[in-house]
Amino acid sequence: MGMKNRTALVTGGTRGIGRAIAIDLKKAGCKVIASYHGNEEAAQAFKKETGIEVMRFDVADFEQCQHAVRRIESEIS
């Protein structure tokens, strides 16, 4: 099955391995959201460079994760 019409949330997706995964998923046809926790400026630069949506939340916080997934389901997907 292809990646078209799929949505991927890549945690830590604005740098390092997560960045590479997010970019490859986008190239494969996925709608990608890259989460980040800290550096707003770097995340916005990543978004501008790649066209990949970014979302700030702490993956160690269950409630923040729930909120992010609900937001993705209703607004982004």
Side-chain angles (χ1 to χ4, degrees):
M1 176 179 258
M3 299 301 285
K4 299 234 183 261
N5 300 318
R6 302 248 177 174
T7 301
L9 170 60
V10 181
T11 59
T14 63
R15 56 191 204 137
I17 294 171
R19 175 187 175 91
I21 291 168
I23 291 169
D24 281 352
L25 285 169
K26 183 179 179 191
K27 286 178 185 175
C30 260
K31 170 72 176 176
V32 180
I33 299 91
S35 77
Y36 67 100
H37 183 257
N39 191 330
E40 179 73 28
E41 187 175 314
Q44 292 306 318
F46 169 81
K47 178 179 179 178
K48 184 177 180 179
E49 176 189 338
T50 65
I52 294 172
E53 291 293 327
V54 295
M55 183 179 289
R56 184 178 190 164
F57 66 95
D58 181 356
V59 297
D61 183 314
F62 184 70
E63 287 183 13
Q64 286 186 36
C65 292
Q66 285 182 310
H67 175 75
V69 169
R70 282 193 302 267
R71 181 174 167 218
I72 291 166
E73 289 174 335
S74 67
E75 297 176 15
I76 297 174
S77 294

